[in-house]
Amino acid sequence: MTGFMGAVIIAIGLVIAIWPKVAWYLRLGWRFKNAEPSGLALGVERVTGVVLVIAGFIMMVSSCSSGSADARWSEQFKEKLDSGQVQEISIGMINPTVLNEEETNRMIQMIQDAELRPFDAGNSFGASNTGTITFKDQTRVDMIILGPSGGIELHPDDAQSQYEIMSRSLKSWLKSYGD
């Protein structure tokens, strides 16, 4: 969406930069009878157009780069899981239970086999349960179990997106965990 807005801002900026008199008339001139813009007013309109083009370009470039950063996060997360960097996985909201080694390895394998799909949780909150994956470098990734997406979600601090773990087996295993 940011890329689309960037393109719209570029288009508006180009119109203002190329035809500053039209932009001035649409902004102010229609209010006055027989009014003509000064050279300074046209210069300000032209500079405004150039600034809008630059801002739109920045928006478009940043929308492209944030998507690749999120993709890199997903790959790096799976690499950390695969290389044995998980210190512990805990499940529970109030009194979290730390998974034993067998359960941790099983859960890591299910996450490795699953697709991590980015999504935007927006302002939705709520969960059936929560968990945390803590790595040996003391970084953490929060898990939301049966959250707004209806699945198992990862909420990293260092990425723009949240991720849903697309695994029915993990979902059913976590639903039954603790029963």
Side-chain angles (χ1 to χ4, degrees):
M1 187 68 174
T2 306
F4 175 75
M5 289 301 297
V8 169
I9 290 173
I10 288 173
I12 292 169
L14 285 173
V15 168
I16 293 171
I18 294 169
W19 298 292
K21 192 169 184 175
V22 171
W24 177 86
Y25 182 79
L26 291 173
R27 198 167 58 83
L28 295 171
W30 63 272
R31 296 178 188 177
F32 307 105
K33 192 174 191 177
N34 298 327
E36 288 293 321
S38 67
L40 178 63
L42 293 177
V44 168
E45 289 292 336
R46 197 159 281 180
V47 168
T48 301
V50 170
V51 168
L52 286 175
V53 168
I54 292 169
F57 182 73
I58 290 170
M59 287 178 72
M60 286 184 69
V61 169
S62 70
S63 73
C64 295
S65 65
S66 68
S68 64
D70 285 345
R72 280 193 310 271
W73 184 92
S74 174
E75 293 168 9
Q76 290 171 347
F77 174 76
K78 284 195 170 188
E79 286 172 9
K80 284 176 88 171
L81 291 177
D82 193 39
S83 64
Q85 293 184 36
V86 175
Q87 181 176 332
E88 71 177 27
I89 299 176
S90 59
I91 307 288
M93 286 188 191
I94 299 172
N95 292 317
T97 303
V98 176
L99 301 182
N100 64 36
E101 187 176 349
E102 180 184 328
E103 294 167 330
T104 298
N105 291 337
R106 184 168 181 204
M107 188 165 172
I108 288 171
Q109 187 59 51
M110 286 188 274
I111 294 172
Q112 285 286 42
D113 294 341
E115 173 192 356
L116 298 182
R117 184 178 298 166
F119 79 101
D120 182 16
N123 292 330
S124 301
F125 298 101
S128 170
N129 207 348
T130 62
T132 303
I133 300 173
T134 305
F135 293 96
K136 291 179 181 173
D137 63 2
Q138 298 305 309
T139 58
R140 298 169 31 141
V141 176
D142 294 326
M143 286 188 304
I144 305 296
I145 301 167
L146 303 178
S149 70
I152 312 304
E153 303 170 9
L154 297 174
H155 289 250
D157 292 333
D158 57 348
Q160 291 182 350
S161 294
Q162 293 82 33
Y163 294 84
E164 182 177 0
I165 303 171
M166 306 306 293
S167 171
R168 289 184 182 171
S169 58
L170 179 60
K171 189 174 178 179
S172 64
W173 186 77
L174 284 171
K175 275 184 175 178
S176 66
Y177 185 79
D179 289 348

